Each structure stands twice: as structure tokens, then as C-alpha cells.
Amino acid sequence: MSKFPEKGLPREEVLNLLEDKTKVDLTFSSGKILGSMCTMPHELAIEVFARYIDRNLGDPGLHPGTRKIEEEVIEMLSDLLHLEKGYGHIVSGGTEANILAVRAFRNISDAERPELILPKSAHFSFIKAGEMLGVKLVWAELKQDYAVDVKDVEAKISDNTIGIVGIAGTTGLGVVDDIPALSDLAREYGIPLHVDAAFGGFVIPFAKSLGYDLPDFDFKLKGVESITIDPHKMGMAPIPAGGIIFRRKKYLKAISVLAPYLAGGKVWQATITGTRPGASVLAVWALIKHLGFEGYREIVRKAMELSRWFAEEIKKLNNAWLVREPMLNIVSFQTKNLRKVERELKRRGWGISAHRGYIRIVFMPHVTKEMVEEFLRDLREVLK
Amino acid sequence: MSKFPEKGLPREEVLNLLEDKTKVDLTFSSGKILGSMCTMPHELAIEVFARYIDRNLGDPGLHPGTRKIEEEVIEMLSDLLHLEKGYGHIVSGGTEANILAVRAFRNISDAERPELILPKSAHFSFIKAGEMLGVKLVWAELKQDYAVDVKDVEAKISDNTIGIVGIAGTTGLGVVDDIPALSDLAREYGIPLHVDAAFGGFVIPFAKSLGYDLPDFDFKLKGVESITIDPHKMGMAPIPAGGIIFRRKKYLKAISVLAPYLAGGKVWQATITGTRPGASVLAVWALIKHLGFEGYREIVRKAMELSRWFAEEIKKLNNAWLVREPMLNIVSFQTKNLRKVERELKRRGWGISAHRGYIRIVFMPHVTKEMVEEFLRDLREVLK
């Protein structure tokens, strides 16, 4: 058991200890992390984060400039998602964003035993949301292609349904559900649709503009009432930076709580967090301004091309096969003797895992062709 | 409406724009923020945060060193709070910490209509917790000294009571409730007691060792089952860094959800957030190691002494008076024509507010005697 130390150590000694203790961490520059949806943040974002690390958006009256910039970030993300005026926040991550959407749907609904219909491929943040918020999760089946079965979603709608979830980039396989069909369904039944684009939000708009054939997934579709989009995944922002955007103000109002006490004056808070890092918001703003649509498109182009090349390489292997053709920059594959293969790859230092029944490779910006070639060499050896 | 830009701007231009847009923010070095519970983070913490900004504790299998350090931080904080072995996490802030405690109490209880008894002085994070978790908040009256009326707490206990909250450093006045009496009550009725020491956790242990007469508030008291303690307040850590510590593992288990998908292997997550900043944890670890008990005690000594001096100065004024004698490094006072006084002080640039019916000064590490003297000069003028 570590004790709270009586005396302090010199700063250099602390830094050395820290360096030593974190040696066992895999870093994105190690060339070994292939299975994470996070990446090394962009250097500009790190500089901005450190420079403005004192800003607290939990007390926006003190930091009106940072608050204004958050509004601009929400405007820019709304624009990216084809919404003229959106309502939302940069939050701690996709989990908070998804919880806020479910909370808004629950609070607006008058269902006595609220139920949320969501694909079996949904992220486990919805399990947290359901448990915390007392919302029953009604799981919809997937089709053979691992996209949600829209007919099964429809069959599961009841008087207690407070909302439907569609996924734009599933965590396991990067599948984009048929959001247009879900949107039609949502409008037909008058039920709000939430799109979890935590991963896909910073991929699909750019991939579509590159010519990849992907379904619409955003506010262009009238049934979509809220979208989760995470800058700290493919947006290259530092953790923590998730995003939630609502089409209508009423959703944000439905989850707002009055915050007294603050030095800058009282405000309504829709986020779960109270004190929250303004630096995250400034970093996201800086990245969008610095990279622009063209910069992100280039990042996505490389990631998509590499993922397609990798998928073709997997197809050439004996004893390994794709779970399905990739839609985004995520490729998942199965192998013979999967447990043994996983163990052996991990032993060789690869940051992957196979506990979903397949190995998932996420082609994040830090993943280079050299890394993937080395991984394939190891994989071929292990499969022999 | 800001549009998502098509083309990016050079990094220097982005940094200049950001500097320009944040000019209106008050900074802790401005000498004007007197009413915030946040402060300028310690420079070592900023360096550590920036250096390890890529660590994700949502995927601890990738970062076993950082995970181990979080365990050490929880051990050190437990030790500070007189618990040999605690269970908890560094989280996004006091709000998440308080929500996790209420969630654990709710999940462990078999009450059909769960109720939480809490002082009327409790932080608004409990309003969020109650709304989200479907827990009815039963507010206990305060005594004349603004500490909770323990008799009223007892009178409000019912079969539906899932827990009691005591506050060690109320947000408005820095009052430490009679936690020993609440602890006795909690044990007598077999109800868990949560102590919100978000602010006081990094003050009281040091102030007591300096000889300030403050009640016990921590795990030394057997009825205390969980404590919120925020490094990003008086701990001088960067936002986000709250802390939650449970006495028993069963509470953490009661809020744990299985997380598949991760690159480092599956894990149970008790936090609300999924992806979460390892850098926050490393920064807290570095500060505790660097400052030690003696370093924090010195910070608290200065803050307490300055607050006592200020309180005496307020007593000398006509037309202004203390709401109550300060217990911690928070001094709140009322004035004649409070609205006018507030408006005039704000006009002079002071980061304070009076919407609770008084002006609250929090003697954080960035608050110097010079600042306070200048504030008093302005206050005297305004009161004339």
C-alpha cells in the first residue's frame, strides 16, 4: 500500500520515477497499438491544451471567450453534420454523450416504463445509460452483414419506446447502420432517433467526399434528433473530448440543471460534469481551424486506403478471413485457433485483442503501412 | 453561424486567433478571480499532463503502468483519509464522484422508491444524481450555523433511505457538517454515509495538522462508506481530476459494467466515462509525490491564514458582515445593497458573484494578500 508521503521529492526525481513506472505502457509511437480507437493527439492540440489548461467551462461566466469558442465548435460540427443550428456540448467522451441523449429522450417522454431500442452492436455506454437512467434496453437483431435489422427494430417499438439508436461506425466492425431507414421509421412512429457516430462522425463525411459509398447518417435525415461525435477519436483531439449535438433546443433543456454558486454567475448545465476542461474545447477548435475539411479528408483518405489494402491482404491468407467487408477504417478478422493466435500476437507486443471472437484493427492516424506490414509478417508466422 | 472550414489555416494564425478570442477570459494570474474553487494548476502537473496526454485509462490493458499509478493514487488518498485499503478512481470531477456514490448506494439497496437524505447546503451535483438515477432527494434542514441539523436527518430516515450525505466543506460557506454525529446515525440505522469532501478533502487533513479545530470527516469514522475528494480543487491538479473512494469493494462492484472491445482486453468499468485521461491521474500522482503532506500543509496554511485575516477585515467594515465564522479557506459575507455592490465589484473586474445572497471568497493558492487588499480597497469604496 502506498502511503501519502510526508515529505515531497524534487521535481526531476518525480519525473524520473514517472518515466520509469510508465515504461510498460504501450504508446502510440511504439508502432504496436493496432486495436484502439484513440490515437496520438495532434501536436497543435497538445500545445493548445497545455496553454489553456486553466479554463473551466463549468464556470463559463469567468471564461466568456472559451464559452463562445465552444459555441463555435458546436456550430462547426453541426455544419459538418448538415444542421444549420445545433445545440450541444463538447463532453468527456462518447459515453457521456450517449448517456445525455438517452437522458434527454427519457425526460421528454411520458412513458411509464421507458424502453430504448438499440442494435445488438451498440457500445456498452448504453448499458451504463440504461442502468443509471432506469431505461430498459431492447436489443434489436443484426442482419447477416452485422447492420441492424430495421424490421426487427420496428417490431420492437412499443408505447414505452422513448427512442431508437442507430450506429454510424460500430465499435466492433465499423458498420454503419441503415440510418436512412431508421430515420424513416422514427418519423413514422414519432420517436426520436439517436445516432452514435462517436467513431464515424469524423470519418464518414470525409470518406463520402472521397467517393466511398456510405449511407447518409446525419441531420440531413429528418428523423435524426441527436448525434454523438467524438473529437478524441478520429478528430485527433486529446482525451477528454466527446461531442453531443441535438437538433432541437428542447432536448438540451430537458437535461439542464441550475448551477448556483459559480464565480461567474449562475448557469444552466446540461452536461453530467460540473467543472469541465475548457482546454479540450479550445484544442478541438484549433484542430478544426488548422486542418479544415481538406486536412481531415486527407487523414481519412490514408486510413481508408490502408484499411482496404489490409483487408485484401487478409483475404490472401489461409486460416484467416474477414468478418465482413470493411465500411470504415476498421477491419476485423477471424482465424483458426483464435485464442492461440491472439496470445502469440500479444506476446510479440501487439496491442490487439480478440475477446469479441475476432481481432479488430482500427486504422487510426498513428497506424502506418510499415506497422501493418510488420503485423502481417507476424500474423503469417503465427498462422503457420 | 461558424461553418466547418474547407481549408485549414497555418498553426501560428490559429494560435493568434485563439489568443485574441480568449482575451476576454479571466485567468487565475489576472489577480481578479476570487470566487472560484479552481486555481492555476501546479506547473509540474501541467508538464506531466502534456507529456502523457496520450494515455487512456478507458483501455488500461494498453497502459498497465498508468493503471498501476492510479491504484497508487487511490492508495495514497485512502491513506490521507485514514483508510488502509480503499476502492475508487480518479474521475472527471466531484459531480461524477457524487453521482457514482449515489449510484452505488441505490444499486446496493433494495428500496423500491429510493431516497437520499442530504443537507440543504449540498452541491447541485446531487440534483443531477437524483434526476438521472431516479432517486428522490430528501433535504435536511440546516442549523443556525449552516451545518446540517442531524436531528432533522434522523427524522427523515425511512425504509426507502438508501444513503445519507454529509458535507466536508459546503460549496457556499465551506462549512464542515458534524460528520461524527452523522456517522453514528448511519451506523445506528445501517445506512451508508457519503461525505462530499470535493473541496475539503485537500484542506481538512492539513488544516487539522496545523491545529485548526475541525471535526473528523473521513474513514476514521466507521459510518463513512464513501468520500468525494477532488484533486482539481485544492489539490492543484489540472481539470479534469475528481476523486471517489469507497470503503468496500462491493460499492465499486455495484456500479461496474463489463467493457468488451478494448485493445488491451476486457475490463470492468465503474466510472461513468469510458475513454478517460490517464494524464490526469499521472498529474495527481506527480503532485502528491512532489509536494507531500508538508507541501500541501504549507499551501493550506497560507490559504487559511489569509482567509482568517480577511474575515477580521470584513468585521471591521460598516455595511458588511460575515455570514458565519469561516471553518475552511472560504469566507462569505453579506452587505447592504448587495445587488448594487455585486454589480459595482464586477464592473471593476472582480470574478465574484452574489446570487446565493452573499459574496463568497475562496482562498485558493492563486489568491494573494495583494489581491485581497486591492479587493478590500474596492469593497470599501463601493460600500461608501
Side-chain angles (χ1 to χ4, degrees), chain B residues 125-138:
Chain B
S125 51
F126 290 101
I127 299 179
K128 291 182 182 174
E131 183 258 293
M132 289 179 67
L133 301 169
V135 171
K136 184 181 168 191
L137 303 179
V138 178

Side-chain angles (χ1 to χ4, degrees), chain A residues 42-224:
Chain A
H42 192 287
E43 62 82 22
L44 174 62
I46 299 174
E47 179 169 341
V48 168
F49 199 104
R51 192 183 285 197
Y52 297 100
I53 202 163
D54 60 332
R55 304 306 147 99
N56 171 19
L57 271 170
D59 197 352
L62 292 181
H63 302 137
T66 300
R67 171 168 54 182
K68 179 71 177 54
I69 286 175
E70 187 182 31
E71 286 170 18
E72 290 185 20
V73 168
I74 297 303
E75 285 168 15
M76 292 191 290
L77 291 180
S78 298
D79 181 45
L80 181 71
L81 300 172
H82 295 99
L83 183 63
E84 195 175 316
K85 166 97 183 104
Y87 303 87
H89 287 292
I90 295 302
V91 296
S92 59
T95 296
E96 182 179 357
N98 285 335
I99 293 173
L100 291 177
V102 180
R103 184 174 160 215
F105 290 180
R106 182 200 67 174
N107 288 2
I108 274 184
S109 153
D110 50 11
E112 250 184 64
R113 298 176 177 278
E115 295 178 0
L116 182 76
I117 303 175
L118 72 176
K120 283 198 164 167
S121 52
H123 185 258
F124 66 93
S125 51
F126 290 101
I127 300 179
K128 291 182 181 174
E131 183 259 292
M132 289 179 67
L133 301 168
V135 171
K136 184 179 167 192
L137 303 180
V138 178
W139 298 95
E141 298 296 330
L142 306 184
K143 294 180 301 174
Q144 273 213 317
D145 64 358
Y146 299 94
V148 71
D149 181 344
V150 178
K151 282 192 194 129
D152 193 51
V153 171
E154 181 167 16
K156 281 171 170 152
I157 292 174
S158 81
D159 288 348
N160 286 319
T161 306
I162 60 163
I164 296 170
V165 174
I167 323 247
T170 60
T171 320
L173 301 170
V175 169
V176 183
D177 285 328
D178 186 351
I179 310 289
L182 289 173
S183 170
D184 288 345
L185 196 65
R187 294 188 79 191
E188 192 183 330
Y189 286 84
I191 296 168
L193 173 63
H194 171 68
V195 174
D196 181 358
F199 186 78
F202 266 94
V203 179
I204 302 170
F206 310 106
K208 279 172 91 83
S209 106
L210 288 163
Y212 287 91
D213 183 27
L214 294 165
D216 284 337
F217 77 107
D218 64 17
F219 291 111
K220 207 188 268 182
L221 306 167
K222 299 295 182 210
V224 175

Side-chain angles (χ1 to χ4, degrees), chain B residues 149-299:
Chain B
D149 181 344
V150 178
K151 282 193 193 128
D152 193 50
V153 171
E154 180 166 16
K156 281 172 170 152
I157 292 174
S158 82
D159 288 347
N160 287 318
T161 306
I162 60 163
I164 295 169
V165 174
I167 323 247
T170 59
T171 320
L173 302 170
V175 169
V176 183
D177 285 329
D178 186 351
I179 310 289
L182 289 173
S183 170
D184 289 346
L185 195 64
R187 295 188 77 190
E188 193 183 328
Y189 286 85
I191 296 168
L193 173 63
H194 172 68
V195 175
D196 181 358
F199 186 79
F202 266 94
V203 179
I204 302 170
F206 310 106
K208 280 173 91 83
S209 106
L210 288 163
Y212 287 92
D213 182 27
L214 293 165
D216 284 338
F217 77 107
D218 63 18
F219 292 110
K220 206 187 269 181
L221 306 167
K222 300 293 183 212
V224 175
E225 293 290 349
S226 56
I227 297 180
T228 290
I229 173 172
D230 282 3
H232 71 197
K233 293 188 171 80
M234 281 294 286
M236 296 191 74
I239 302 166
I244 178 70
I245 297 178
F246 292 103
R247 182 190 291 275
R248 296 169 221 274
K249 201 174 182 178
K250 68 170 181 176
Y251 293 109
L252 211 57
K253 279 178 83 172
I255 54 173
S256 289
V257 168
L258 186 66
Y261 299 115
L262 301 172
K266 70 183 170 190
V267 290
W268 290 88
Q269 281 188 359
T271 53
I272 295 180
T273 54
T275 292
R276 61 192 177 95
S280 289
V281 169
L282 301 183
V284 173
W285 188 91
L287 282 184
I288 293 175
K289 288 289 185 185
H290 178 54
L291 293 169
F293 194 93
E294 289 180 359
Y296 278 115
R297 185 171 54 199
E298 188 56 18
I299 290 164

Side-chain angles (χ1 to χ4, degrees), chain A residues 2 5 9 11 19 21 25 47 52 55 65-66 72 75 103 106 128 131 262 269 290 293 353, chain B residues 2 9 11 19 21 25 47 52 55 65-66 72 75 103 106 128 131 262 269 290 293 353:
Chain A
S2 304
L9 298 171
R11 73 193 295 292
E19 202 51 35
K21 279 171 174 287
D25 287 357
E47 179 169 341
Y52 297 100
R55 304 306 147 99
T66 300
E72 290 185 20
E75 285 168 15
R103 184 174 160 215
R106 182 200 67 174
K128 291 182 181 174
E131 183 259 292
L262 301 172
Q269 281 187 359
H290 178 54
F293 194 93
S353 75
Chain B
S2 304
L9 298 171
R11 73 193 296 291
E19 202 51 34
K21 279 170 174 287
D25 287 357
E47 179 169 341
Y52 298 100
R55 304 305 148 100
T66 300
E72 289 185 21
E75 285 168 15
R103 184 175 160 213
R106 182 200 68 174
K128 291 182 182 174
E131 183 258 293
L262 301 172
Q269 281 188 359
H290 178 54
F293 194 93
S353 74

